[in-house]
Amino acid sequence: MKINDVILQTVTRIVVFIILTLGVYLFLSGHHNPGGGFIGGLVLASAFVLLYLAFDIETVHKGTPFDFKIVAAIGVFISVTTGLGSLLFGSHFLTQTFAHVHLPVLGETELATVVLFEVGVALTVVGTVVTIILSISEDV
Amino acid sequence: MNTVITAIMLPFLAAVLISLLYKRLPRTRIGWFVLFVPVSLFIILARYIPAIAKGETYSYSIDWIPSYGIRFSTYLDGLSMIFALLITGVGSLVILYSIYYLSARESLHHFYIYLLLFMGAMLGVVFSDHLFVLYAFWELTSISSFLLIAFWYHRKNSRYGAQKSLLITVSGGIAMLVGFIMLFVMAESASIRELIATFPSLSNESLFLPAMILILLGAFTKSAQFPFHIWLPDAMEAPTPVSAYLHSATMVKAGIYLIARFTPIFGGDAIWFWLISGVGIFTLFWGSLNAVRQIDLKALLAFSTVSQLGLIVSLFGLGSVALSFGSSTESVIYTQATFAALFHLVNHSTFKGALFMVVGIIDHELGTRDIRKLGGLMALMPITFTIAMIGSFSMAGLPPFNGFLSKELFFAATLNIQQVDLFSLATWGWLFPVIAWIASVFTFVYCMIIVFKTFFGAYHPEKLEHHAKEAPIGMLISPIILACFVIGIFLFPNVLGDSLLRPAMTSVFPSIAQVSEQLPSISIWHGFNGPLYMTIGVIAMGVLLFRILRRWQPVYRLLPPEWSLNALYNLALVQAEERSEKITRSYMTGNLRDYALYVYLFFFITIGGGLYLTGAFSFDMSNNAQIRIYEWILVFVMMIAGVAILFAKSRLTATLLNGVLGYSIAIFFVLFRAPDLALTQLVVETVTTALFLLCFRFLPEWKKETYKRKTKVFHAIIAIATGTLVTLLALSVQSNKMFESISVYFENAYELAGGNNIVNTILGDFRAFDTMLEIVVLFIAGLGVFTLIKLKAGKEEQNIENK
């Protein structure tokens, strides 16, 4: 019996964007408010999981044409290389810095190297969580 | 470079050379190449005899491990001179003999490498002045002896004998090492000469007695003293040259060397005296008693070696009494026992080496060593017979052979010891001459067995593999030389005494200054006195016992074979193996739950017990915050969920209850104002619960536990105890805040890291290293899950490792 899950799919279409937005918001707000790379990554991952639940794997793969294992690897790579970056400026490994810069559109903005590090964390979390869930569910 | 160090190193270098050269050299030539080593060493060392006789000593040392103060220090004095000459002299003769004894088909290069290793190690033992260097060489003799005994490794008995000798001698060696360490701790020096110089201050230390007993254990196991003698008869599975060299002339005398070397330190102590003389004299008796019953000539010689070693050891014990009198003319009388020991040591090496070689010739020519098959060889093998007779009669203590002289000195020493008024010798001293006399009678009997059962009587060609004929001259040279020494030493005993034994006496008794001058010279005819009457008694009684041997030999069957020391040794080995296996099986059950139990038990006992004993548990509730109503409710929910998991009937229930616990914790984080943690906990709990549910679809039904009630109760007790302990620990920690918290520093997060979220600045900035490695962990876990599922290594029938 083919189950007609049109309601689920329609709701998902809308909800996924809300979740993705929330994930990005949590990620960006982490510096001053609750949130950060880890939580942001988990929330983003849950958006992908919801997609996989609502649609079949092939459809999702067409929409998101990247391998989550590679995403996770890129995440680890970014985190480690940002740590190495500080060595170029004569600091210790993983030294983070920040500055207040005046940008054309955004105005007075705080830029911090810790965001780059957190990008790595977030990508690793997204990649790993989706990889684990996909691997197990594909095995069923 | 110093001669002594050259002497130690030359055999090792030669051994290395053999391993390089054996393919280029013709097989038969290896022996001749090896022979060059001991002969040249003997000549080099012999050149020092006149200087040593004048009382000179040579020492030399080079740094080995300077940071531990271990120096490769050597010392050449009278005592080490005797042993070194025996090692190189008998070594040369044995190698010459082995060239003719071993056929070219044997793996000769192995044989000579082992033999050279042994020779170098033995020289190292007698020349070392440093305790730990001595120990290193000591173990090297055990190992090379092990290799030589198992030379014919395809034979079961060879392997058994080698294993036995290694187990016993190495156990003793380890005991000796512990003793050495104790000595080192007491004297703060590892040099034997320095130890001797400081010995009076040592005897009051509490470690003095344990050190003495442990060192003696090493000496007794090496020298095959009762009850450790059992390895020696089994070591007779080695090729006969090995038996002649290791098990009569050198290795078994390493223990004797050790006793002689340490006499200046420990001698004069009652326990030292009684242990050495008691064990020695009993070994003398026991060895001679057992030698008579043997039917294999080599086994007979093995027991006779045990017995003779006992004689030498007991003489060293009797001589050590002199040290308790200090430096006086009176004490010199008692040092004669030690003089006799050194004299017999040399004599024993000569006649026992010759006898082993004779037995080897008989074995080689006739194919058997069983005395029941032998007989009537006198006319067929006249030279062999002559050597055997000289050796045996010397061992029995008959004139005109050197054994007679040392046996007379031995009897004299046992008679003298009764006059000592120390160590309750006035009460028990009479035992020494009595046991010595009885043992000598048995010695006489087995010596007669060697000569008369082998060479007299009827010849039985049908029982032999080959027809009897005289051995080739090459095999006869070495025993002839030794036999010449046997007679030569009898005729001119004082040549040996003055040049070698007197300087050695100074080494054994450095505190008695007059010792080397006041010793009387050995005289062949010493008048009608106690020792001579004893010898006449020995001969009369021995002849009588040998005549009626058949009538009293059944006495040996009175004791069942299960009562022997060998049976005890085998039983101990078997039991050790069975018991240890049983013990291991009893706790290595393969059940993970049991292992978890051990972990918790260990945790409970060490942490709980340790903290209880140190009194670390203390509770202080005064600083605790007020508990709010939400917290009460939450704790109540969690407790219900936690207890309910234990009684859950299905896996789904358990998982969901686990989820309840997880979400409650998230709410706790909210209550205790940790928003980041609460967020993370919520998402992670959701993901893990989903994963659990996904995985549990594939697991079988949750079965009811089949544990016994008793086990369940025990598990419950352990669980409750561990939980209580952790609670107590947490409460104690909370009550004992010893330092100010460092979290004040992180309150400057905005100034230092530009962020208002302290938690995230700690994770990403202050302590980013942790975070970096945590995401690596996460990544590895993801890859692990992926590979486990995709590869499915376990499901394939073929073992991947064997591909």
Side-chain angles (χ1 to χ4, degrees), chain B residues 46 81 96 102 123 129 144 149 231 278 293 304 326 398 410 434 439 450 510 601-602 684 694 707 713 715 777:
Chain B
M81 190 60 160
L96 178 66
L102 292 170
L123 286 171
D129 183 50
S144 48
I149 296 170
W231 66 267
R293 67 195 287 197
S304 86
L398 299 178
F410 171 54
V434 171
I450 296 174
L601 260 181
F602 182 78
V684 167
L694 197 57
Y707 285 96
V713 171
H715 287 173
V777 168

Side-chain angles (χ1 to χ4, degrees), chain A residues 30-36 38-39 42 69 72-73 76 79 93-94 96 98 110 114 117 124 128 135-136 138-140, chain B residues 675-676 680 683-684 691 694 698 750-757 760 764-765 768-769 775 778-779 782 786 789-790 792:
Chain A
H31 207 44
H32 294 295
N33 294 305
F38 200 81
I39 299 165
L42 278 174
K69 294 189 289 297
V76 174
S79 289
F93 181 60
L94 276 173
Q96 313 286 7
F98 66 97
E110 185 192 355
V114 75
F117 181 75
T124 315
T128 307
S135 315
I136 294 176
E138 275 176 11
D139 190 49
V140 174
Chain B
D676 294 274
T680 315
V683 185
V684 167
L691 278 178
L694 197 57
F698 306 103
Y750 190 76
E751 289 79 51
L752 294 168
N756 284 320
N757 183 343
N760 260 0
D765 195 333
F769 206 87
I775 61 169
L778 191 69
F779 179 57
F786 181 76
I789 287 169
K790 297 289 168 185
K792 299 195 176 165

Side-chain angles (χ1 to χ4, degrees), chain B residues 575-786:
Chain B
Q575 287 289 322
E577 206 178 309
E578 279 182 2
R579 293 276 162 88
S580 56
E581 199 188 331
K582 218 176 259 173
I583 291 170
T584 311
R585 290 232 177 285
S586 69
Y587 71 90
M588 296 310 274
T589 53
N591 187 345
L592 279 180
R593 191 171 281 218
D594 287 343
Y595 300 154
L597 193 70
Y598 307 147
V599 172
Y600 284 123
L601 260 181
F602 182 78
F603 173 77
F604 182 73
I605 291 167
T606 51
I607 308 281
L611 289 179
Y612 178 76
L613 288 178
T614 52
F617 288 118
S618 70
F619 309 107
D620 174 22
M621 301 293 179
S622 56
N623 290 330
N624 287 1
Q626 203 67 40
I627 305 174
R628 288 171 295 170
I629 185 78
Y630 312 110
E631 289 151 18
W632 278 117
I633 295 169
L634 212 50
V635 165
F636 194 61
V637 168
M638 286 178 77
M639 275 165 70
I640 291 173
V643 174
I645 287 180
L646 296 178
F647 299 99
K649 290 272 184 277
S650 79
R651 216 175 247 120
L652 187 68
T653 326
T655 314
L656 291 179
L657 285 168
N658 201 34
V660 170
L661 284 178
Y663 287 122
S664 310
I665 289 170
I667 299 173
F668 256 123
F669 286 143
V670 173
L671 286 179
F672 292 132
R673 293 186 220 105
D676 294 274
L677 290 185
L679 275 171
T680 315
Q681 173 68 22
L682 275 175
V683 185
V684 167
E685 188 58 40
T686 314
V687 172
T688 46
T689 307
L691 278 178
F692 275 146
L693 292 175
L694 197 57
C695 296
F696 286 165
R697 278 185 54 194
F698 306 103
L699 289 179
E701 272 301 296
W702 202 345
K703 276 184 202 138
K704 204 164 162 53
E705 286 179 2
T706 50
Y707 285 96
K708 282 181 201 149
R709 198 183 159 72
K710 220 164 115 187
T711 328
K712 273 185 177 174
V713 171
F714 187 58
H715 287 173
I717 290 170
I718 294 292
I720 291 167
T722 314
T724 316
L725 177 66
V726 172
T727 313
L728 291 178
L729 272 181
L731 287 176
S732 313
V733 168
Q734 184 65 25
S735 317
N736 294 292
K737 281 192 173 159
M738 296 175 136
F739 307 104
E740 277 298 308
S741 167
I742 58 160
S743 60
V744 186
Y745 175 77
F746 298 117
E747 284 169 14
N748 302 324
Y750 190 76
E751 289 79 51
L752 294 168
N756 284 320
N757 183 343
I758 297 180
V759 174
N760 260 0
T761 49
I762 291 174
L763 288 179
D765 195 333
F766 293 120
R767 308 194 54 176
F769 206 87
D770 291 358
T771 314
M772 191 191 85
L773 292 179
E774 273 157 21
I775 61 169
V776 172
V777 168
L778 191 69
F779 179 57
I780 290 169
L783 286 186
V785 169
F786 181 76

Side-chain angles (χ1 to χ4, degrees), chain B residues 14-38 95-96 98-100 102-116 151:
Chain B
V16 172
L17 269 183
I18 288 180
S19 61
L20 298 175
L21 288 179
Y22 81 96
K23 278 187 178 154
R24 308 219 180 117
L25 280 173
R27 309 212 74 165
T28 44
R29 295 277 172 80
I30 297 177
W32 294 106
F33 171 71
V34 174
L35 182 61
F36 163 76
V37 176
I95 288 169
L96 178 66
S98 72
I99 293 170
Y100 292 93
L102 292 170
S103 80
R105 276 165 299 156
E106 308 273 11
S107 54
L108 287 176
H109 54 288
H110 287 139
F111 180 80
Y112 287 116
I113 287 173
Y114 301 159
L115 203 66
L116 282 171
F151 179 63

